[in-house]
């Protein structure tokens, strides 16, 4: 194999490692975007560790660091760094595959947590005074306004103290306000289910990209190492 061909293949290895790093950095950015724009996490706390935005940020950050090791190792032709990269990437791929399975299975169990958490949040809202638990209040009001619903199972959950976010009018400036009658639990379950499936799809996409990257570059790395042509 000519030196020009070897250098070209080594550049390909580094480029694929960089593509892997770039895609994982994008996953982290997307997870941060979800965390900044999601206003419902404070209401459903039972499964916080596998909340979609948290999972994307944590997994993407770890994968980005691992892929950065591959990029630097490829540029410097450092065998130790590349071996560490492939070992860590193999472990990460296994973890991501397991996570995707957990998301697909866990998606069916979401409903068992929602009703309890939402009812608890609603009771806290009702007993909180002005300025107390403001984040929870804002989140509950946002859900009722955005999803056009009221309470957990319906407007009756609020008793006689229905918040203005339940009003069907916008702006709501009447004394006897008309309220949405449907509860929020079903709509919020559907919203979270879609986010879970999207996150699972994202994790699977990361898995496929990383697997392809390793499938192409690892044989080249081994070939160069055996032939004594670098690495």
């Amino acid at each position: 194999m000519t030196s020009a061909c070897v250098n070209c293949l080594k550049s390909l290895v580094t480029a694929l490692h960089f593509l892997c790093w770039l895609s994982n950095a994008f996953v982290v950015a997307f997870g941060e975007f979800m965390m900044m724009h999601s206003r419902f996490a404070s209401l459903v706390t039972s499964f916080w560790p596998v909340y979609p935005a948290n999972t994307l940020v944590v997994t993407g950050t770890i994968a980005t660091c691992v892929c950065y090791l591959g990029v630097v190792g490829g540029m410097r032709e450092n065998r130790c760094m590349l071996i560490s990269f492939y070992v860590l990437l193999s472990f990460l791929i296994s973890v991501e595959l397991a996570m995707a399975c957990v998301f697909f299975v866990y998606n069916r169990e979401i409903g068992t947590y929602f009703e309890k958490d939402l009812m608890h949040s609603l009771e806290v809202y009702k007993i909180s005074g002005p300025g107390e638990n403001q984040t929870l209040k804002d989140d509950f009001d946002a859900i009722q306004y955005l999803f056009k619903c009221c309470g957990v199972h319906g407007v009756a959950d609020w008793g006689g103290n229905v918040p203005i976010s339940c009003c069907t009018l916008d702006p709501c400036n009447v004394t006897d306000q008309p309220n949405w009658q449907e509860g929020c639990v079903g709509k919020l379950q559907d919203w979270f289910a879609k986010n879970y499936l999207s996150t699972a799809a994202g994790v699977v996409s990361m898995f496929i990209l990383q697997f392809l990257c390793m499938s192409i570059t690892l044989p080249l790395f081994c070939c160069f190492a055996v032939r004594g042509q670098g690495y």
Side-chain angles (χ1 to χ4, degrees):
M1 189 180 296
T2 65
S3 60
C5 184
V6 170
N7 291 333
C8 181
L9 290 175
K10 287 181 178 179
S11 298
L12 175 63
V13 170
T14 304
L16 288 173
H17 291 173
F18 177 75
L19 179 62
C20 184
W21 174 86
L22 191 64
S23 63
N24 288 309
F26 174 78
V27 169
V28 175
F30 180 66
E32 291 285 355
F33 175 83
M34 289 179 64
M35 291 181 69
M36 292 172 61
H37 290 79
S38 176
R39 304 188 60 185
F40 314 137
S42 68
L43 303 180
V44 185
T45 57
S46 293
F47 50 101
W48 181 90
V50 289
Y51 193 72
N54 299 334
T55 304
L56 288 177
V57 171
V58 172
T59 307
T61 301
I62 296 173
T64 301
C65 294
V66 171
C67 291
Y68 179 75
L69 188 65
V71 173
V72 176
M75 293 175 64
R76 295 186 176 183
E77 298 188 14
N78 187 301
R79 179 178 296 188
C80 181
M81 293 181 71
L82 287 173
I83 291 175
S84 300
F85 164 69
Y86 287 120
V87 170
L88 291 173
L89 188 62
S90 300
F91 175 74
L92 188 61
I93 286 174
S94 302
V95 171
E96 287 172 356
L97 185 60
M99 284 178 57
C101 295
V102 168
F103 271 112
F104 282 120
V105 173
Y106 212 89
N107 181 57
R108 304 175 183 176
E109 306 296 328
I110 291 178
T112 60
Y113 299 96
F114 265 82
E115 185 174 358
K116 180 184 72 173
D117 282 357
L118 285 179
M119 284 301 299
H120 173 73
S121 298
L122 186 142
E123 293 300 325
V124 172
Y125 189 122
K126 290 166 66 174
I127 63 175
S128 298
E132 297 178 353
N133 299 301
Q134 196 59 45
T135 300
L136 183 145
K137 291 180 179 180
D138 291 342
D139 287 354
F140 218 117
D141 287 336
I143 287 176
Q144 295 183 137
Y145 178 78
L146 293 173
F147 292 117
K148 299 182 180 353
C149 57
C150 190
V152 179
H153 303 103
V155 65
D157 291 338
W158 291 105
N161 190 20
V162 182
I164 195 171
S165 56
C166 284
C167 184
T168 61
L169 303 177
D170 188 16
C172 188
N173 50 12
V174 294
T175 304
D176 188 16
Q177 67 180 44
N179 299 309
W180 303 108
Q181 299 301 308
E182 184 179 359
C184 296
V185 62
K187 294 187 175 184
L188 197 57
Q189 282 178 4
D190 293 340
W191 184 87
F192 263 90
K194 291 177 181 177
N195 275 266
Y196 261 70
L197 292 176
S198 299
T199 304
V203 172
V204 170
S205 299
M206 290 172 58
F207 164 79
I208 293 173
L209 180 62
Q210 292 164 3
F211 181 77
L212 289 175
C213 176
M214 190 171 69
S215 299
I216 296 173
T217 61
L218 182 57
L220 292 174
F221 167 74
C222 294
C223 179
F224 294 146
V226 170
R227 289 172 175 266
Q229 294 176 311
Y231 297 139

